[in-house]
Amino acid sequence: MKHLSLFARAIAASTALAFPSIGSAQEIVEIDVVEVEVEEVLIAAQAVEALQKMGDALAAKQSIAFDASITSELVLDSGQKIQFGGAMQVSVVKPDKMRMVVTSAAKERQYYFDGEQFAIVAPRKGYWTNFQAPPTLKELFSTLLYDYDIEIPVADIFIWQDHPEVLERIQEGYVVRPDMVLGKTCMHYAFRQELVDWQLWLNEDSLPCKLVITDKEDDSLPQYSVIFRWNDPNKDPMPDFTYQPKETDTRITYGGTVTVQGGGE
């Protein structure tokens, strides 16, 4: 399952930005358009403000806990799109602790970070690996992505405030309208960058309800989506952030992206 990172795509994006057309946005909702600091980029003031409020809301949380439903697309040679679903459980204590469980019918992966060691576990196969990690989540995600080719799902959520380049790379951004996500009203926003289009739904607390990313590097435009269900970390005990292997587990030597062959991973 492919996970698209907004800050990774923003960093990789060219600084040569084309002047956008926002006619489609204006057909959806009347907006006030302002020029932001990046030259030749126009986005709706309300959309910028929403992202800033989301960043503030996430930065204010020392602990983060949520469950999520995730959907990714595989595009066949015929052009038909096949969707695959999964689930995610996330617990984070900033700046240096994380536990994430990503599950689908095909496989399960667990990620542990305790500020010193990062571990990846394939529990259905009984395989695991770990290695010395940088001391913070921000440094960890960058190291994993660029040194180990490991992309942590929705890593942007944990360190959004540390990557203002995401905002700087936006070419178009506008308010769509209020929309329903899991039976609750969330405000819907749409954004365009050079390599990705993305949609974001925010609740009344400025926390993400839903995220959809469209990969424009692929001509078939596959999408990756996440629907969030936020938990209160003060009510539920946080999990252990250090992986304790079972006696039957086999530790494998890390030499690149961890891939376990066969079904039921």
Side-chain angles (χ1 to χ4, degrees):
M1 183 175 290
K2 185 177 183 180
H3 310 288
L4 298 175
S5 168
L6 291 177
F7 80 81
R9 297 307 177 97
I11 292 171
S14 168
T15 56
L17 303 179
F19 191 86
S21 169
I22 58 171
S24 58
Q26 291 170 329
E27 292 172 1
I28 296 174
V29 61
E30 184 177 353
I31 57 176
D32 296 327
V33 181
V34 298
E35 185 173 359
V36 294
E37 292 182 2
V38 182
E39 187 178 358
E40 294 187 328
V41 180
L42 296 180
I43 62 177
Q46 297 97 322
V48 176
E49 182 180 5
L51 292 180
Q52 292 170 338
K53 287 183 177 180
M54 182 188 73
D56 292 342
L58 292 170
K61 287 184 171 292
Q62 181 66 23
S63 299
I64 293 175
F66 63 83
D67 299 327
S69 299
I70 52 181
T71 303
S72 63
E73 290 184 342
L74 172 66
V75 183
L76 305 181
D77 291 340
S78 64
Q80 182 178 13
K81 293 185 176 183
I82 305 297
Q83 288 194 342
F84 297 96
M88 186 161 44
Q89 296 176 316
V90 178
S91 298
V92 168
V93 177
K94 295 184 287 187
D96 59 358
K97 290 179 176 56
M98 178 189 73
R99 179 180 183 269
M100 177 183 294
V101 179
V102 183
T103 307
S104 70
K107 66 182 180 182
E108 178 178 340
R109 290 292 181 269
Q110 299 175 359
Y111 305 93
Y112 294 81
F113 175 56
D114 60 8
E116 296 182 359
Q117 294 284 323
F118 176 75
I120 307 174
V121 185
R124 298 179 188 176
K125 290 290 187 179
Y127 294 155
W128 74 289
T129 189
N130 69 336
F131 48 84
Q132 191 73 29
T136 67
L137 288 165
K138 176 183 177 181
E139 295 169 289
L140 172 68
F141 295 148
S142 179
T143 297
L144 291 177
L145 183 63
Y146 296 111
D147 293 349
Y148 294 94
D149 195 28
I150 298 175
E151 190 171 350
I152 299 297
V154 298
D156 315 272
I157 295 299
F158 315 136
I159 54 174
W160 180 269
Q161 68 278 12
D162 295 320
H163 289 279
E165 63 270 17
V166 175
L167 182 59
E168 295 170 359
R169 295 295 189 266
I170 293 175
Q171 297 174 323
E172 297 182 38
Y174 53 89
V175 183
V176 180
R177 67 176 186 181
D179 198 8
M180 298 293 289
V181 179
L182 296 178
K184 297 183 179 180
T185 301
C186 301
M187 189 59 73
H188 184 186
Y189 303 88
F191 302 91
R192 307 203 77 184
Q193 295 176 208
E194 182 182 2
L195 302 181
V196 295
D197 289 344
W198 49 290
Q199 302 173 67
L200 180 66
W201 290 253
L202 298 177
N203 65 19
E204 60 184 7
D205 296 321
S206 295
L207 295 176
C209 305
K210 182 178 178 179
L211 173 67
V212 175
I213 303 176
T214 302
D215 184 1
K216 295 196 293 186
E217 290 187 281
D218 188 327
D219 292 339
S220 58
L221 302 176
Q223 291 186 327
Y224 173 73
S225 65
V226 185
I227 297 178
F228 299 86
R229 293 176 295 277
W230 291 88
N231 302 322
D232 186 350
N234 297 318
K235 292 184 178 179
D236 300 318
M238 297 298 272
D240 193 343
F241 296 102
T242 303
Y243 181 63
Q244 304 294 339
K246 302 175 183 177
E247 292 184 1
T248 54
D249 285 349
T250 300
R251 185 179 185 278
I252 60 177
T253 301
Y254 187 82
T257 302
V258 174
T259 302
V260 182
Q261 300 295 331
E265 298 179 3

